[in-house]
Amino acid sequence: NGRVTVSDLNKVYRSGEEETKAIDDLSFEVEGGEFLTVVGPSGCGKSTLLYLIAGFLDPTSGTIAVDGDPISGPGTDRGVVFQDYALFPWRTVEDNVMYGLEENGADEDERRETAQRFIDMMGLSGHEEKYPKELSGGMKQRVALARTLAYDPKILLMDEPFGALDQPLRESLQDHLLDIWRDIGKTVVFITHDVEEAVYLSERVMVMTNQPGTRKSVYDIDLDRT
Ligand code: ADP
Ligand code: ADP
C-alpha cells in the first residue's frame, strides 16, 4: 500500500579528498497514503534523500524499503516529479503522458484512454497535441504530474515541483495536488525549502537542518490542527 521505511540511512559524497555527508543516520517511516513534507534550507540533503528513495542514488549504508521490501534501484512503484518538469520536448502532451504506459502491455487504445483520464484530471483537455514549448510552466508541471500518475505508482516523490511557479499558480497547483491525493490516496513525499508550503500541504513535516560541521539534524513534527 506504499509504506516507506528508511533505516539507518547514510549518504556520503566523495570527490577526491573531499567528503560531504549529505544524509547522516536517518531513520523514519511514511505510512501508506500519508503525505509527508520534507522542509529545510538549501544543501541540507533533501534532494539526496528523495533520489535515494527513488533509487536514482545508492546509499553509502542503510536501507530503504517499500512495503517491507528493500529497494534496489528505480521502480514503477515510485514516481518522481521534478522541479524542471523533465518533459520530453519532442513529444506532445498526450505522448508525454503515455510515456510511462509503454511497457505495461496495454494496447495503444487502452494507453490513450488512460492518458486521457489523467489529462482530464489535470485540466489539460484540449491541449493534447501541443508540445511542451507551447505550454506555460504551470501547464508543464500538470503534464509532468499526469505522466507520473498515469502509470499508477504507489508513492509520489516530488522535488520542489512548484518552486519555479509564481504564487497564484503555486497555490492552485497545491490545492489541485491535495484534491488528487485525497481522491486517489497515494503516499506522497514532497520536498520544499518553503516552510509555508510545507505547513499548508501536510500534517506531518520533517525538518532537515544544516548544522555546523557535517552533522545533519532531522525533526519530525506532527501538526495539531484541531
Ligand atoms: P538540498 O536538496 O537540501 O539542497 P542536496 O541533497 O542537494 O541538498 O545536497 C546535500 C549536500 O550534498 C550539499 O552539501 C551538496 O553540496 C552535497 N551534494 C549534493 N550532490 C552532490 C554530488 N553529486 N557530489 C558532491 N556533493 C553533493
Ligand atoms: P525514446 O522513446 O526515443 O527511446 P524515451 O522517451 O523513452 O525515448 O526516453 C528518453 C530517455 O529519457 C530515456 O533514456 C529515459 O530513461 C529518460 N527518462 C525517462 N523518464 C524520464 C523522466 N521522467 N525525466 C527525465 N528523463 C527521463
Side-chain angles (χ1 to χ4, degrees):
N1 58 346
R3 176 168 41 99
V4 181
T5 310
V6 172
S7 312
D8 307 318
L9 191 68
N10 286 280
K11 180 66 184 179
V12 179
Y13 292 106
R14 288 198 176 85
S15 52
E17 300 279 276
E18 215 164 313
E19 281 198 354
T20 307
K21 188 148 210 172
I23 303 287
D24 186 15
D25 231 2
L26 177 58
S27 299
F28 66 97
E29 191 157 68
V30 191
E31 293 302 329
E34 190 176 16
F35 195 131
L36 174 74
T37 304
V38 180
V39 69
S42 174
C44 71
K46 303 182 296 297
S47 298
T48 300
L49 174 63
L50 200 82
Y51 293 151
L52 286 164
I53 298 173
F56 299 159
L57 292 174
D58 292 324
T60 305
S61 66
T63 57
I64 296 166
V66 173
D67 294 328
D69 297 323
I71 62 162
S72 58
T76 52
D77 56 344
R78 286 152 284 146
V80 185
V81 177
F82 303 91
Q83 177 171 358
D84 64 0
Y85 327 120
L87 297 176
F88 303 116
W90 62 90
R91 292 180 165 216
T92 62
V93 167
E94 183 177 50
D95 288 342
N96 264 282
V97 177
M98 283 172 71
Y99 169 80
L101 302 167
E102 272 164 27
E103 273 145 53
N104 72 356
D107 66 34
E108 169 135 4
D109 284 348
E110 283 176 87
R111 285 191 274 122
R112 212 167 283 283
E113 211 175 292
T114 303
Q116 194 60 51
R117 213 169 63 237
F118 288 93
I119 285 169
D120 292 346
M121 181 190 285
M122 292 312 305
L124 293 162
S125 316
H127 301 288
E128 289 83 350
E129 300 310 317
K130 289 191 179 157
Y131 285 87
K133 67 173 190 304
E134 303 174 79
L135 305 175
S136 66
M139 284 171 73
K140 281 186 218 172
Q141 197 55 291
R142 287 174 190 275
V143 177
L145 199 47
R147 178 181 62 185
T148 301
L149 291 171
Y151 65 85
D152 200 24
K154 294 190 225 172
I155 299 153
L156 204 51
L157 303 170
M158 308 187 77
D159 188 10
E160 301 253 1
F162 310 143
L165 307 177
D166 62 30
Q167 192 58 21
L169 257 178
R170 275 177 93 117
E171 287 174 9
S172 94
L173 274 163
Q174 285 167 349
D175 287 335
H176 203 153
L177 175 65
L178 286 175
D179 285 343
I180 289 167
W181 171 72
R182 289 189 189 104
D183 216 40
I184 61 182
K186 285 191 191 301
T187 308
V188 180
V189 179
F190 187 106
I191 279 180
T192 181
H193 63 265
D194 179 349
V195 177
E196 282 182 50
E197 181 168 61
V199 170
Y200 183 71
L201 285 173
S202 65
E203 295 186 358
R204 186 174 164 213
V205 175
M206 201 166 82
V207 181
M208 296 177 76
T209 67
N210 266 318
Q211 298 288 84
T214 56
R215 179 93 199 155
K216 308 275 169 178
S217 293
V218 174
Y219 305 88
D220 207 343
I221 300 170
D222 272 310
L223 302 176
D224 185 355
R225 295 229 155 115
T226 54

